[in-house]
C-alpha cells in the first residue's frame, strides 16, 4: 500500500497538536466555574472517560439555627447541588394546634405540666411564639397582663385585641386553660406573670407562691414551679412586682439560669430601675426583653392615649419598643382604638418575642 504524501502527514500532526492544546486549556488553563446563589442543579458535567462511582446522596439534616437559604453540596466535584430553605418560623406550632401543648416540651411534676426543652433542642420560646412579618418596620410589642383575674376583662382582651398583642397570664387567675386556648386560637403569644419578692415583703405581698430572693439563691424553685404548672403554651415569664428580687444578683442569676434550662424568655416589666434581669439574661444566654413604657398607671383614657403616643416615639427612635398594661376596660378600649391608627402610620404590632434579644438566634 503506498504511504500518504509527507504534506498530508504534516497537516494531520498540526491538527492533532491544536486539539491536544485546546483540551489542555479546557482542563487546566481556566479557573473552576463558581456557582453563586444556585437555585437549580448545574448543567451536567461532560461524560467521564472512565467508569466512576456516583457520589452518595447528601442528607439534609435539620438545622439548629435556621434563618435563610442554606446550600448543601457534595464533596465530589461536578456532583449535583441541593439546597433547603428554613424560615425563622420553622419551629413554630401550626395555628391549627396552637392551643394544644407540645408533649415534647412538657415535664410532668406534682405542680402540673412544666415547660422544658425538647430532646431535639426546641424551646417553648421557639414553638409557642407568635407570628410577625419579619419585614423592616418600626415595631411595637404590647403586653396586656392580668389575664385570668377578671373574667370580663379577659374576655374583652381576647375578643377585642388583635393577634399581635401579647397576653400576660396571672397564675392566681381562674379558668386559665380556657383563656389560654381562646387566646392561642386567636393567634396571641403568651407570657406567665410570676410573683417575685418585692421590697417590704411579706407586708407587701404579690400573692400565693411568691418566689423569694432567699429561696432562689439556694436553688429552691418550688414556688416558681407551682406558678409554671398553672398553664402551658407560653414563651416565657414576666415578673409580677419583685423589686427586691430583681435587684439581687444572688437570686437573679440562678433564677435566669433555671428559665434558660427550660427554654423560656425573661421579660422585665421595667418597673424597677435596679433590675438586673436583662443583664443576667444576656450573661446566661437566655432570651430577654425589657418594657419601655407602662401604659396605664393612670386609668384615665386620655392618659393612656398619651402613653401610647410616647411608646410610638420611643419605637421610632429605637426601631422597636415594648409597652405593658393590665386587662382593665379602659386600657383594652384605648389600645384597641390606637392600634389601627398606628398601623396606618407604618407601625407593626408584633409579639414580644419578636423584639426580644435571643442569643440562640433561632
Amino acid at each position: 500500500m503506498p504511504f500518504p504524501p509527507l504534506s498530508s502527514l504534516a497537516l494531520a500532526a498540526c491538527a492533532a497538536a491544536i486539539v491536544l492544546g485546546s483540551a489542555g486549556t479546557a482542563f487546566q488553563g481556566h479557573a473552576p466555574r463558581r456557582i453563586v446563589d444556585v437555585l437549580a442543579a448545574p448543567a451536567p458535567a461532560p461524560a467521564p472517560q472512565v467508569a466512576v462511582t456516583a457520589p452518595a446522596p447528601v442528607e439534609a439534616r435539620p438545622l439548629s439555627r435556621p434563618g435563610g437559604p442554606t446550600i448543601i453540596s457534595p464533596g465530589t466535584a461536578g456532583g449535583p447541588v441541593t439546597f433547603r430553605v428554613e424560615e425563622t418560623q420553622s419551629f413554630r406550632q401550626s395555628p391549627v394546634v396552637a392551643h394544644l401543648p407540645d408533649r415534647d416540651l412538657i415535664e410532668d411534676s406534682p405542680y402540673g405540666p412544666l415547660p422544658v426543652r425538647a430532646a431535639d433542642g426546641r424551646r417553648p420560646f421557639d414553638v409557642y411564639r407568635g407570628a410577625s412579618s419579619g419585614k423592616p418596620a418600626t415595631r411595637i410589642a404590647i403586653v396586656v397582663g392580668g389575664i385570668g383575674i377578671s373574667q370580663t376583662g379577659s374576655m374583652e382582651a381576647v375578643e377585642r385585641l388583635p393577634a399581635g398583642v401579647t397576653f400576660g397570664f396571672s397564675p392566681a387567675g381562674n379558668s386559665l386553660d380556657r383563656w389560654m386556648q381562646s387566646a392561642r386560637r386567636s393567634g396571641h403569644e403568651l407570657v406567665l406573670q410570676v410573683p417575685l419578692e418585692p421590697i417590704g415583703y411579706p407586708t407587701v405581698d404579690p400573692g400565693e407562691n411568691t418566689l423569694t430572693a432567699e429561696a432562689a439563691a439556694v436553688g429552691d424553685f418550688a414556688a416558681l414551679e407551682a406558678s409554671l404548672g398553672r398553664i402551658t403554651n407560653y414563651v416565657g415569664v414576666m415578673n409580677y412586682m419583685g423589686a427586691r428580687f430583681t435587684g439581687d444578683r444572688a437570686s437573679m442569676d440562678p433564677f435566669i439560669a433555671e428559665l434558660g434550662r427550660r427554654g423560656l424568655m425573661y421579660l422585665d416589666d421595667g418597673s424597677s430601675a435596679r433590675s438586673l434581669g436583662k443583664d443576667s439574661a444576656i450573661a446566661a444566654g437566655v432570651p430577654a426583653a425589657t418594657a419601655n413604657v407602662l401604659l396605664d398607671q393612670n386609668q384615665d383614657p386620655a392618659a393612656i392615649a398619651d402613653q401610647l403616643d410616647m411608646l410610638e416615639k420611643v419605637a421610632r427612635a429605637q426601631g422597636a419598643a415594648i409597652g405593658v398594661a393590665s386587662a382593665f376596660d379602659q386600657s383594652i378600649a384605648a389600645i384597641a382604638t390606637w392600634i389601627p391608627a398606628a398601623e396606618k402610620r407604618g407601625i407593626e404590632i408584633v409579639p414580644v418575642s419578636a423584639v426580644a434579644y435571643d442569643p440562640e438566634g433561632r
Side-chain angles (χ1 to χ4, degrees):
M1 176 183 296
F3 291 101
L6 289 178
S7 58
S8 298
L9 291 174
L11 182 58
C14 289
I18 292 172
V19 170
L20 291 175
S22 298
T25 301
F27 287 101
Q28 299 179 7
H30 295 289
R33 184 164 65 101
R34 295 192 308 144
I35 301 173
V36 181
D37 296 333
V38 178
L39 297 181
Q49 299 302 312
V50 294
V52 295
T53 303
V58 176
E59 179 184 358
R61 300 180 182 275
L63 304 177
S64 60
R65 296 167 63 94
T70 299
I71 298 178
I72 306 170
S73 56
T76 305
V81 176
T82 60
F83 69 95
R84 63 182 293 167
V85 177
E86 291 199 29
E87 300 176 355
T88 55
Q89 304 173 353
S90 61
F91 296 124
R92 183 179 295 129
Q93 260 185 330
S94 165
V96 177
V97 296
H99 62 292
L100 301 175
D102 186 325
R103 183 63 213 177
D104 292 339
L105 303 176
I106 287 178
E107 174 188 356
D108 293 324
S109 82
Y111 303 104
L114 303 182
V116 71
R117 289 176 180 257
D120 60 7
R122 289 176 301 132
R123 305 168 292 177
F125 180 77
D126 303 315
V127 175
Y128 299 137
R129 65 192 307 174
S132 61
S133 73
K135 298 177 182 177
T138 299
R139 299 179 297 167
I140 287 179
I142 296 178
V143 183
V144 174
I147 302 298
I149 296 296
S150 164
Q151 299 301 292
T152 301
S154 301
M155 181 176 65
E156 284 287 302
V158 171
E159 291 183 352
R160 295 193 61 183
L161 296 176
V165 175
T166 300
F167 289 149
F169 275 62
S170 169
N174 299 307
S175 306
L176 295 187
D177 190 64
R178 175 165 66 92
W179 292 123
M180 179 277 286
Q181 293 194 36
S182 295
R184 292 291 291 158
R185 283 191 175 104
S186 298
H188 294 277
E189 181 175 282
L190 314 181
V191 295
L192 182 69
Q193 295 177 280
V194 172
L196 302 177
E197 181 183 347
I199 296 172
Y201 180 80
T203 302
V204 180
D205 188 3
E208 188 179 6
N209 296 316
T210 294
L211 180 62
T212 65
E214 181 181 2
V218 297
D220 178 3
F221 294 115
L224 173 64
E225 292 178 357
S227 294
L228 295 180
R230 293 282 285 137
I231 62 167
T232 58
N233 294 51
Y234 49 91
V235 297
V237 306
M238 175 181 175
N239 63 296
Y240 177 64
M241 301 180 70
R244 161 76 176 87
F245 188 102
T246 60
D248 179 22
R249 187 167 296 280
S251 57
M252 279 302 289
D253 284 354
F255 169 65
I256 292 295
E258 177 67 8
L259 297 184
R261 185 180 74 83
R262 296 187 176 279
L264 298 172
M265 172 187 71
Y266 176 68
L267 171 62
D268 195 287
D269 70 359
S271 60
S272 174
R274 299 175 58 249
S275 175
L276 301 172
K278 192 169 184 179
D279 291 341
S280 292
I282 290 174
V286 174
T290 300
N292 303 98
V293 179
L294 176 59
L295 299 174
D296 58 356
Q297 189 170 15
N298 184 334
Q299 277 293 293
D300 179 68
I304 298 173
D306 288 343
Q307 290 298 92
L308 286 165
D309 290 340
M310 175 61 69
L311 180 64
E312 181 174 343
K313 290 177 182 178
V314 174
R316 291 194 184 279
Q318 299 183 170
I322 301 171
V324 295
S326 296
F328 300 126
D329 292 344
Q330 300 94 319
S331 303
I332 294 169
I335 293 169
T337 300
W338 179 83
I339 285 178
E343 290 176 331
K344 290 179 181 178
R345 295 191 295 271
I347 298 293
E348 182 180 3
I349 306 301
V350 298
V352 71
S353 66
V355 294
Y357 164 76
D358 179 16
E360 295 189 28
R362 292 174 182 264

